[in-house]
Amino acid sequence: MERGIFGQLILTFGTISLMAIGGANVVVPEVHRQIVEILGWMDAPTFARLFAIAQTAPGPNVMLASIVGWHVAGTSGLLVATGAMLLPSSVLALACSRGLQRFSGNRVVRIVTLALVPIALGLMLASGAVAALAADAGLFGFAITAATAVVTYRSKVNPLVPMAVGTLAYTAVWAAGLV
């Protein structure tokens, strides 16, 4: 059974890492789909909690893979999932960077690199939507998520400020029994 879990961690995160155009956060919907819906290793609220821990902990966003691996198979799972998430994308990034250096003046290369920007932004938006849905925080939770995103986008305020305010607001409403 252990080999099956480790093999599945390698297959899942190794494949997902190759889709991470724009960083590890853009693959959150696919990680959620694989881990919760297909493999059934956890439920959506557990996934949302692990995602929240990964986002609040210092370090790279790839920590979601590490935390999922740890949750599924302990310390060995953490190491396997982290390696599977980092290695394929790192090799691909190295190969692409060498190609970009060599062909940076090519018109097609410039167009492709510009086209990847909206793709990465769309994937990041989908990640936020999946995380909000997985948290199952209701209409008030969605409103806080949207307000936090707007304030973060529109102002130069540190993103931790609207996150802290949203957390306090939700906690107060929850303590009052309104959600």
Side-chain angles (χ1 to χ4, degrees):
M1 183 165 168
E2 288 295 313
R3 281 193 182 142
I5 290 174
F6 294 138
Q8 193 61 52
L9 283 169
I10 291 169
L11 181 64
T12 300
F13 286 110
T15 305
I16 287 173
S17 78
L18 297 174
M19 299 185 305
I21 299 168
N25 273 347
V26 302
V27 294
V28 170
E30 183 60 15
V31 172
H32 178 271
R33 189 176 80 81
Q34 290 288 327
I35 302 303
V36 175
E37 297 172 15
I38 294 175
L39 297 170
W41 284 343
M42 65 188 71
D43 58 14
T46 301
F47 180 85
R49 286 190 293 277
L50 294 178
F51 177 73
I53 291 168
Q55 292 303 296
T56 57
N61 290 330
V62 76
M63 284 181 62
L64 177 61
S66 304
I67 291 174
V68 167
W70 171 77
H71 179 80
V72 170
T75 304
S76 298
L78 178 145
L79 296 172
V80 168
T82 303
M85 189 72 178
L86 292 175
L87 189 61
S89 58
S90 296
V91 170
L92 180 63
L94 178 64
C96 288
S97 71
R98 292 196 176 185
L100 283 174
Q101 286 176 349
R102 185 171 181 198
F103 300 107
S104 63
N106 186 305
R107 184 175 186 267
V108 173
V109 170
R110 286 195 312 264
I111 290 170
V112 168
T113 56
L114 288 174
L116 288 174
V117 172
I119 291 169
L121 291 174
L123 289 169
M124 285 183 230
L125 182 60
S127 295
V130 165
L133 287 170
D136 194 25
L139 188 58
F140 190 68
F142 286 119
I144 289 175
T145 301
T148 302
V150 169
V151 169
T152 301
Y153 177 74
R154 293 268 184 185
S155 71
K156 293 184 179 187
V157 173
N158 185 319
L160 293 176
V161 173
M163 288 171 61
V165 170
T167 301
L168 292 173
Y170 191 86
T171 303
V173 170
W174 176 79
L178 301 174
V179 289

